[in-house]
């Protein structure tokens, strides 16, 4: 049985929910952002949006992080109990180790046990780990089930839940097995952030600030003016920061869904350095956003020293990342080890070092053939 076509679901959002559309032709989908007093106490909001977005379906499989089972997970299942759908819930242990071949194999079998078929829809409730794992399960089980993403970390709300990348890790490296699989809806309830630990929240802010640097100068200015309120998780500026980030990612993904034109590569600003930081520090030592913050500083240093941008850009970025409580330097950075990792990075073209570098706030370019001694100097500048 084929999966039903995507319904037009962006027509009628309630007052406390705004909708951003990811424009991908017949795979377009809404990002619904809900915040407001009703929050966790309003179980009906999700189910009606869900049914609008997925269309004909008989069975929902909630795949959730155990850490949010009693909060976000329970809100989603409560909401669906008011619908005629059959409901299954699968628990996933928290943490990156769940993005494994063992766990995906177990998940496929658990889905089989729920008698999932092509009229089932997978709902991923959790951070990027759950989104990637459950998303890949949706992409692959019976050659593809519909997927709804319900991100519960800031990083997942502004980055991993949007854009359709799903996958798991191999012992030899992160995200090596996966697939592009666009969701039918992303449901963001900013109230879910209330339980997120401070360090995870701040880490997510690195990706938020990234969007300002790479393609939205007005947003960067907004962040400069509102970062203290966002750090306090005040509802309105937090919601704006999430919405602007999703709009930014949606624009980039709509331009280059499958990384074929090079446009999507701008999302990797700071990430070539960050991956080298994460890898040489040992995975798990630093949170991803912390490494991205340091990586963005290294990239901006590199851009200044290559004469591609003025120092003011670096100073503004430094001030904003610092105000967000993110790290700017890493004193243990080992230049040779980091360059060796970068040379192995799958994003390196034909052995030459390539970087996404800013020329002004709001614009970056992909720059190839960067001399290794300039890269080394940029790393040293951030030690
Ligand atoms: N698909 C993509 O485009 C994409 C993009 C960026 C990152 N990723 C992936 O995302 C993953 C990282 O995502 P993450 O940072 O969300 O990590 P995560 O999913 O591990 O969540 C971080 C921690 O927060 C806990 N948690 C989640 N929501 C919570 C809440 N509301 N309250 C309290 N605790 C909560 C989790 O249990 C976990 O311990 C990585 O595997 C990365 O590869 C994917
Ligand atoms: Zn990232």
């Amino acid at each position: 049985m084929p999966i039903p076509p995507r319904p037009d679901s962006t027509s009628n959002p309630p007052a406390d929910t705004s909708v951003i559309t990811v424009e991908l032709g017949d795979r377009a989908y809404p990002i619904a952002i809900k915040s407001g007093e009703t929050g966790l106490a309003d179980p009906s909001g999700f189910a009606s949006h869900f049914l609008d977005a997925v269309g004909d379906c008989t069975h929902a499989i909630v795949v959730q992080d155990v850490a949010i089972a009693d909060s976000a997970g329970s809100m989603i299942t409560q909401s669906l109990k008011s619908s005629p759908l059959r409901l299954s819930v699968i628990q996933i242990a928290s943490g990156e180790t769940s993005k494994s071949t063992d766990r995906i194999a177990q998940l496929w079998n658990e889905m089989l046990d729920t008698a999932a078929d092509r009229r089932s829809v997978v709902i991923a409730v959790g951070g990027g780990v759950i989104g990637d794992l459950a998303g890949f399960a949706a992409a692959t089980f019976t050659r593809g089930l519909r997927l709804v993403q319900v991100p519960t970390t800031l990083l997942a709300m502004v980055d991993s839940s949007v854009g359709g990348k799903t996958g798991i890790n191999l012992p030899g490296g992160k995200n090596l097995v996966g697939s592009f699989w666009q969701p039918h809806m992303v449901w963001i309830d900013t109230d879910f952030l209330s339980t997120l630990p401070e360090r995870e929240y701040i880490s997510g802010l690195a990706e938020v600030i990234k969007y300002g640097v790479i393609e939205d100068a007005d947003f960067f200015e907004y962040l400069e003016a509102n970062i203290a309120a966002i750090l306090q998780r005040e509802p309105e500026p937090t919601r704006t920061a999430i919405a602007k980030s999703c709009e930014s990612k949606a624009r980039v993904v709509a331009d280059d869904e499958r990384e074929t034109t090079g446009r999507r590569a701008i999302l990797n600003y700071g990430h070539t350095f960050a991956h080298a930081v994460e890898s040489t520090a040992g995975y798990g030592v630093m949170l991803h956003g912390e490494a991205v913050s340091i990586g963005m500083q290294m990239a901006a240093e590199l851009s200044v020293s290559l004469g591609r941008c003025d120092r003011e850009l670096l100073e503004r970025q430094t001030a904003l990342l610092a105000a967000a409580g993110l790290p700017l330097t890493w004193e243990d950075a080992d230049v040779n080890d980091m360059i060796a990792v970068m040379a192995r990075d799958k994003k390196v073209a034909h052995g030459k070092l390539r970087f996404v570098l800013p020329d002004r706030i709001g614009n970056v370019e992909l720059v190839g053939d960067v001399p290794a001694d300039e890269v080394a100097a940029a790393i040293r500048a951030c030690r």
Side-chain angles (χ1 to χ4, degrees), residues 121-313:
V121 178
V122 173
I123 306 175
V125 189
V129 164
I130 304 301
D132 280 10
L133 174 75
F136 188 53
T140 47
F141 190 85
T142 62
R143 298 192 185 81
L145 300 183
R146 283 164 289 175
L147 169 68
V148 165
Q149 293 274 11
V150 182
T152 64
T153 64
L154 182 59
L155 178 124
M157 290 179 185
V158 300
D159 189 357
S160 60
S161 67
V162 176
K165 283 191 181 178
T166 71
I168 57 167
N169 305 326
L170 295 180
K174 267 180 60 88
N175 300 323
L176 286 176
V177 177
S179 127
F180 287 99
W181 192 249
Q182 299 294 347
H184 272 59
M185 174 174 76
V186 180
W187 172 265
I188 296 174
D189 187 335
T190 56
D191 288 354
F192 293 162
L193 293 174
S194 63
T195 54
L196 190 68
E198 183 77 353
R199 192 176 164 202
E200 294 285 351
Y201 183 78
I202 289 175
S203 174
L205 287 176
E207 304 282 0
V208 171
I209 293 168
K210 177 189 80 178
Y211 294 115
V213 181
I214 65 174
E215 66 98 62
D216 191 343
D218 291 344
F219 181 41
F220 191 91
E221 269 181 44
Y222 178 85
L223 292 171
E224 288 177 314
N226 292 281
I227 190 65
I230 293 167
L231 263 180
Q232 295 302 316
R233 310 189 200 187
E234 285 180 20
E236 196 39 52
T238 302
R239 178 193 177 111
T240 301
I242 292 168
K244 288 283 168 193
S245 299
C246 288
E247 282 171 15
S248 187
K249 181 146 188 190
R251 277 193 294 273
V252 175
V253 168
D255 276 357
D256 182 17
E257 184 186 4
R258 289 179 171 243
E259 263 169 2
T260 47
T261 70
R263 181 70 182 157
R264 194 163 173 160
I266 73 168
L267 297 170
N268 288 324
Y269 174 53
H271 279 61
T272 304
F273 285 109
H275 292 150
V277 168
E278 288 176 301
S279 163
T280 56
Y283 283 101
V285 173
M286 238 182 260
L287 295 183
H288 177 66
E290 295 167 349
V292 168
S293 176
I294 296 163
M296 283 166 53
Q297 288 293 93
M298 291 174 176
E301 286 280 0
L302 181 56
S303 197
V304 172
S305 71
L306 292 174
R308 300 189 63 88
C309 72
D310 54 32
R311 191 153 275 278
E312 191 208 340
L313 179 150

Side-chain angles (χ1 to χ4, degrees), residues 325-340:
L326 283 157
L328 308 170
T329 56
W330 181 40
E331 62 181 22
D332 296 339
D334 183 306
V335 173
N336 292 334
D337 287 358
M338 280 184 62
I339 290 184

